[in-house]
């Protein structure tokens, strides 16, 4: 073994006769086209046809999709040291994965000892008491963005929620307002869906990213403009009094517990860009999907409005209101179950391992797709049904870690049958921040507005790195 041996159970190396090859479809071109086109129905159908582990041919590589919640726990938690996140360095040399081109070596893309060191360094920035201080930013910016809406307006809620979550991350991360020059550059410079990010699901993405295509040029120009803003803001922080409470100031002030050393500027940049990209795109999509689901389930929407009215009495929400906004929180949890913020989690095993009676080879491409795991009928009765009430059963006690991460654990349900923020040591460091933001945005906007779907418009999920509505979410805004 090339990795530490502790914690191995289901995924330990096995040559037992019971271990069989992983089943799956044939045809490398078909799998590649399906995964780069509309993969969600495809992968769900493969789970139904082949079971808890599926081998999917993709060009010159094969994806081993892990669908069983206990097996997911084994990969992400119990035996996590036997896997690396570096899935791009096998067979044809090492190259930058699509996300690394924009995020650098931040928490999402780093691995191993360095990742553990960085996570320990950054974790205090997301302590519950600290992020509670951002609650007023969530509500004030939500109040600000709706101030220009008029009764009957036609809105694209995905555009509106992207604007709102970008304003929130600009304020909390950089302490700049949305109408500032910095925020305008961030808004236009964030290369969300172009260049390497557009080709992320293709095995030859690194080659496509080097071509002089218009999208690639826009991507790299946007990234360079974004870098210039971040480095300038960093220089301003270093010339200040060091008392800033925005996340960029805290990243600069962070010191390694063992050495007392700060992060180098390029690492501060990587972590800041990681928080920027992860902090607004995923929550914008989550809020958009929540409103899509509420629009087609008016009884759930009415119940949320009744709760908001009862708890808030017309005022803006505060962090102290969160324990009482139980239905609103359940709406958010169920939206993330049906439409997880990210498409998938990738790992590379450092040795052959056995899972669910099948052997998966070392250095393969192992994928965990929350969309599929969240639709396992064993743990989610009627999995396609939007049912926030399922989160009210066995609700964790107020103030516990499980309440903050949304883990209402049904008896017998594996913990990682629900993983919108991943799981194990690499679970999203901003999960509590995001949940708090989501509930407070829903409550703030829900005081005054409800949104009716546009008749005849069919929402089409687009699954790339995130899962977002391909053509937005047009609605009619109605003042309550």
């Amino acid at each position: 073994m090339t990795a530490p041996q502790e914690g191995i159970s289901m995924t330990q190396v096995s040559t037992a006769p019971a271990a069989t090859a992983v089943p799956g479809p044939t045809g490398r071109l078909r799998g590649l086209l399906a995964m780069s086109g509309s993969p969600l129905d495809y992968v769900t159908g493969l789970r139904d046809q082949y079971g808890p582990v599926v081998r999917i041919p993709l060009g010159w590589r094969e994806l081993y999709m892990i669908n069983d919640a206990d097996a997911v726990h084994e990969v992400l938690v119990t035996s996590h040291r036997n896997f690396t996140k570096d899935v791009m360095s096998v067979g044809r040399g090492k190259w930058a994965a699509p996300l690394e081109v924009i995020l650098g070596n931040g928490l999402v893309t780093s691995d191993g000892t360095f990742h553990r060191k960085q996570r320990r360094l950054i974790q205090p920035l997301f302590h519950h008491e600290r992020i509670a201080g951002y609650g007023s930013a969530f509500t004030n910016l939500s109040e600000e963005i709706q101030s220009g809406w008029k009764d009957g307006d036609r809105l694209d809620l995905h555009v509106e929620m992207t604007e709102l979550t970008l304003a929130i991350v600009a304020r909390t991360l950089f302490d700049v307002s949305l109408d500032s020059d910095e925020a305008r550059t961030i808004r236009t410079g964030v290369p969300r869906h172009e260049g390497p990010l557009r080709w992320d699901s293709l095995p030859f993405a690194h080659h496509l990213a080097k071509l002089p295509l218009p999208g690639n040029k826009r991507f790299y120009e946007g990234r360079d403009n974004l870098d210039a803003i971040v480095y300038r803001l960093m220089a301003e922080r270093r010339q200040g009094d060091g008392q800033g409470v925005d996340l960029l100031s805290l990243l600069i002030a962070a010191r390694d517990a063992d050495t007392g050393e700060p992060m180098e500027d390029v690492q501060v940049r990587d972590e800041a860009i990681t928080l920027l990209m992860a902090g607004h795109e995923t929550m914008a999509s989550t809020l958009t999907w929540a409103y899509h689901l509420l629009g087609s389930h008016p009884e759930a929407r009415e119940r949320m409005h009744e709760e908001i009215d009862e708890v808030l009495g017309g005022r803006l929400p505060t962090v102290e209101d969160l324990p009482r906004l139980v239905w609103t929180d359940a709406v958010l949890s169920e939206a993330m179950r049906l439409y997880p913020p990210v498409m998938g989690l990738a790992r590379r095993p450092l040795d052959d391992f056995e899972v669910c009676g099948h052997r998966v080879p070392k250095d393969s491409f192992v994928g965990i797709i929350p969309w599929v795991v969240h639709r396992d009928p064993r743990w989610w009765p009627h999995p396609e049904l939007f049912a926030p009430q399922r989160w009210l059963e066995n609700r964790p006690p107020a103030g516990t870690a499980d309440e903050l991460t949304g883990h209402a654990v049904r008896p017998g349900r594996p913990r990682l049958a629900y993983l919108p923020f991943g799981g194990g040591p690499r679970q999203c460091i901003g999960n509590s921040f995001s949940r708090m933001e989501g509930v407070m945005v829903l409550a703030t906007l829900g005081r005054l507005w409800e949104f009716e779907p546009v008749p005849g418009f069919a929402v089409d999920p687009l699954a790339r790195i995130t899962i977002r509505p391909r053509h937005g979410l047009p609605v009619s805004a109605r003042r309550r």
Side-chain angles (χ1 to χ4, degrees):
M1 295 285 286
T2 58
Q5 298 292 305
E6 66 268 25
I8 300 179
S9 56
M10 181 188 292
T11 61
Q12 66 188 124
V13 175
S14 174
T15 57
T20 61
V22 177
T26 58
R28 294 183 179 276
L29 182 58
R30 177 187 176 192
L32 186 62
L33 291 175
M35 292 300 290
S36 60
S38 300
L40 297 175
D41 289 340
Y42 177 65
V43 293
T44 304
L46 292 180
R47 188 276 313 275
D48 295 342
Q49 182 176 356
Y50 294 104
V53 189
V54 183
R55 177 189 51 78
I56 308 173
L58 296 176
W60 57 269
R61 301 199 68 179
E62 293 180 329
L63 167 65
Y64 290 82
M65 185 173 68
I66 307 294
N67 307 313
D68 178 79
D70 287 326
V72 169
H73 190 278
E74 194 71 28
V75 172
L76 297 183
V77 182
T78 307
S79 300
H80 71 93
R81 290 183 185 269
N82 297 324
F83 296 84
T84 175
K85 205 170 180 298
D86 176 16
V87 299
M88 303 295 287
S89 61
V90 179
R92 307 205 176 183
K94 168 66 177 173
W95 57 78
L99 279 176
E100 291 178 18
V101 178
I102 178 67
L103 302 185
N105 201 30
L107 279 181
V108 168
T109 50
S110 61
D111 204 5
T113 302
F114 182 79
H115 176 269
R116 290 190 289 274
K117 170 180 170 292
Q118 284 300 108
R119 189 176 181 97
R120 183 178 63 172
L121 183 65
I122 296 172
Q123 186 73 62
L125 277 62
F126 290 90
H127 192 275
H128 180 63
E129 282 74 17
R130 185 180 291 279
I131 64 174
Y134 298 126
S136 60
F138 301 155
T139 55
N140 291 339
L141 291 170
S142 300
E143 186 81 344
E144 181 179 322
I145 200 167
Q146 60 84 42
S147 63
W149 298 346
K150 297 180 177 62
D151 189 27
D153 274 355
R154 175 73 64 88
L155 305 173
D156 183 336
L157 272 188
H158 190 238
V159 171
E160 299 291 334
M161 293 303 101
T162 299
E163 189 82 350
L164 172 56
T165 56
L166 184 58
I168 288 173
V169 77
R171 178 72 58 81
T172 57
L173 178 58
F174 298 127
D175 193 25
V176 297
S177 63
L178 196 59
D179 59 358
S180 66
D181 291 339
E182 294 88 352
R184 280 191 287 271
T185 300
I186 291 169
R187 183 193 293 112
T188 58
V190 173
R192 296 185 185 91
H193 314 305
E194 293 193 305
L197 301 186
R198 182 180 180 185
W199 319 116
D200 69 282
S201 61
L202 300 178
F204 40 85
H206 62 295
H207 293 306
L208 292 172
K210 296 177 182 178
L211 298 177
L213 303 173
N216 287 345
K217 292 180 179 179
R218 287 191 295 269
F219 175 92
Y220 291 113
E221 181 180 356
R223 183 192 62 178
D224 292 345
N225 291 338
L226 197 56
D227 283 354
I229 287 290
V230 173
Y231 282 117
R232 182 165 66 77
L233 291 173
M234 288 167 56
E236 291 175 0
R237 298 300 187 280
R238 295 192 187 283
Q239 294 171 3
D241 59 11
Q243 301 302 307
V245 295
D246 57 280
L247 290 170
L248 181 63
S249 295
L250 297 176
L251 286 171
I252 293 171
R255 296 293 183 271
D256 184 273
D258 296 327
T259 67
E261 293 295 319
M263 282 184 274
E264 295 182 358
D265 279 3
V266 67
Q267 192 60 41
V268 174
R269 175 268 176 211
D270 289 352
E271 303 298 355
I273 297 296
T274 295
L275 294 176
L276 169 65
M277 297 291 286
H280 89 279
E281 176 77 14
T282 54
M283 186 47 59
S285 293
T286 293
L287 288 166
T288 303
W289 291 122
Y291 283 120
H292 163 63
L293 293 163
L294 290 168
S296 56
H297 296 81
E299 70 290 345
R301 181 180 64 194
E302 183 61 28
R303 182 170 175 177
M304 186 181 79
H305 288 154
E306 289 175 357
E307 177 182 83
I308 292 170
D309 293 345
E310 179 181 350
V311 172
L312 303 182
R315 60 176 172 79
L316 287 173
T318 66
V319 172
E320 289 71 26
D321 295 315
L322 291 174
R324 298 177 60 201
L325 292 168
V326 292
W327 182 259
T328 308
D329 181 82
V331 166
L332 187 75
S333 295
E334 184 72 344
M336 288 192 290
R337 184 187 70 81
L338 286 168
Y339 295 94
V342 297
M343 171 60 181
L345 312 172
R347 297 291 187 271
R348 176 168 63 88
L350 300 174
D351 270 293
D352 293 359
F353 74 98
E354 183 182 333
V355 60
C356 300
H358 301 293
R359 191 187 317 149
V360 176
K362 66 175 291 186
D363 289 334
S364 55
F365 182 10
V366 172
I368 297 165
I369 302 178
W371 177 284
V372 176
V373 179
H374 290 183
R375 283 166 167 74
D376 190 329
R378 293 176 298 169
W379 317 122
W380 306 103
H382 309 289
E384 297 292 342
L385 179 67
F386 175 62
Q389 61 270 21
R390 65 173 101 232
W391 295 97
L392 304 186
E393 305 169 5
N394 305 288
R395 183 176 172 81
T400 65
D402 277 350
E403 182 198 38
L404 295 176
T405 54
H407 283 293
V409 181
R410 181 180 178 182
R413 179 191 296 155
R415 187 176 185 85
L416 289 188
Y418 182 70
L419 64 161
F421 299 106
R426 295 194 66 99
Q427 178 174 268
C428 174
I429 200 169
N431 59 340
S432 297
F433 181 103
S434 296
R435 291 194 63 86
M436 183 182 296
E437 175 186 356
V439 173
M440 295 187 79
V441 168
L442 289 173
T444 302
L445 298 182
R447 292 164 52 247
L448 301 175
W449 298 95
E450 63 183 17
F451 304 101
E452 294 290 345
V454 172
F457 181 81
V459 177
D460 180 18
L462 176 63
R464 290 294 182 264
I465 293 173
T466 61
I467 300 177
R468 65 186 190 276
R470 187 186 303 268
H471 304 296
L473 181 66
V475 298
S476 296
R478 303 295 183 190
R479 184 173 286 276
R480 295 182 57 216

